Amino acid sequence: FDFKVANNRLIPFGETLQLHFEVYNLMRQADGFTHFEMTYRILPVDEQGNIRRDQSEFVLTLNFTNETTIVRENLQIETANLNPGFYELVVSILDTESNQNKERKIRFEVVE
């Protein structure tokens, strides 16, 4: 499906954030499938680069079940409720069989 590459980390107001991710070395469970959880958070950031704890964050956890140990996915993250400004996207992936957890962060700006 269609997605935009935001190399400059700018997202137009009202547009959907597109996230491409790849997960490797997932451990198979007894049922023959791999299972992992992805949790993403969108945190507001002030002009000085500090996370704004006085504002609410957006958090969502998704569960994935696959037949392979490598997963490549595209995910749409709704950002229509985000006002113009700076944000930090934090993505955590947990392999529920091995309990291995990885986290990545990236900052972006919603612009009018």
Side-chain angles (χ1 to χ4, degrees), residues 7 12 17 21-22 24 26 31 33 42 45 50 53-55 57 66-67 72 77-80 82 85 87 90 95 111:
N7 291 333
L17 177 63
F21 64 93
E22 298 180 4
Y24 298 94
L26 291 167
D31 62 5
F33 290 92
I42 299 177
V45 176
N50 300 312
R53 303 282 180 203
D54 60 331
Q55 293 187 4
E57 62 182 60
N66 301 283
E67 296 178 339
R72 293 176 182 91
I77 300 174
E78 185 62 47
T79 59
L82 297 181
Y87 296 89
V90 180
D95 182 332
V111 294

Side-chain angles (χ1 to χ4, degrees), residues 22-89:
E22 298 180 4
V23 182
Y24 298 94
N25 301 319
L26 291 167
M27 187 174 279
R28 287 191 193 277
Q29 293 186 344
D31 62 5
F33 290 92
T34 59
H35 303 273
F36 70 93
E37 288 182 354
M38 169 194 266
T39 300
Y40 67 84
R41 291 177 162 77
I42 299 177
L43 307 160
V45 176
D46 65 21
E47 284 85 18
Q48 289 77 33
N50 300 312
I51 301 292
R52 296 185 65 181
R53 303 282 180 203
D54 60 331
Q55 293 187 4
S56 62
E57 62 182 60
F58 181 80
V59 180
L60 184 64
T61 299
L62 304 169
N63 293 299
F64 293 83
T65 300
N66 301 283
E67 296 178 339
T68 62
T69 60
I70 299 173
V71 176
R72 293 176 182 91
E73 287 284 334
N74 294 308
L75 179 67
Q76 294 184 349
I77 300 174
E78 185 62 47
T79 59
N81 294 334
L82 297 181
N83 292 321
F86 296 96
Y87 296 89
E88 182 170 88
L89 173 65

Side-chain angles (χ1 to χ4, degrees), residues 23 26 35-39 63 92-102:
V23 182
L26 291 167
H35 303 273
F36 70 93
E37 288 182 354
M38 169 194 266
T39 300
N63 293 299
S92 299
I93 295 184
L94 171 67
D95 182 332
T96 56
E97 179 66 13
S98 69
N99 285 324
Q100 185 176 13
N101 187 43
K102 296 292 180 183

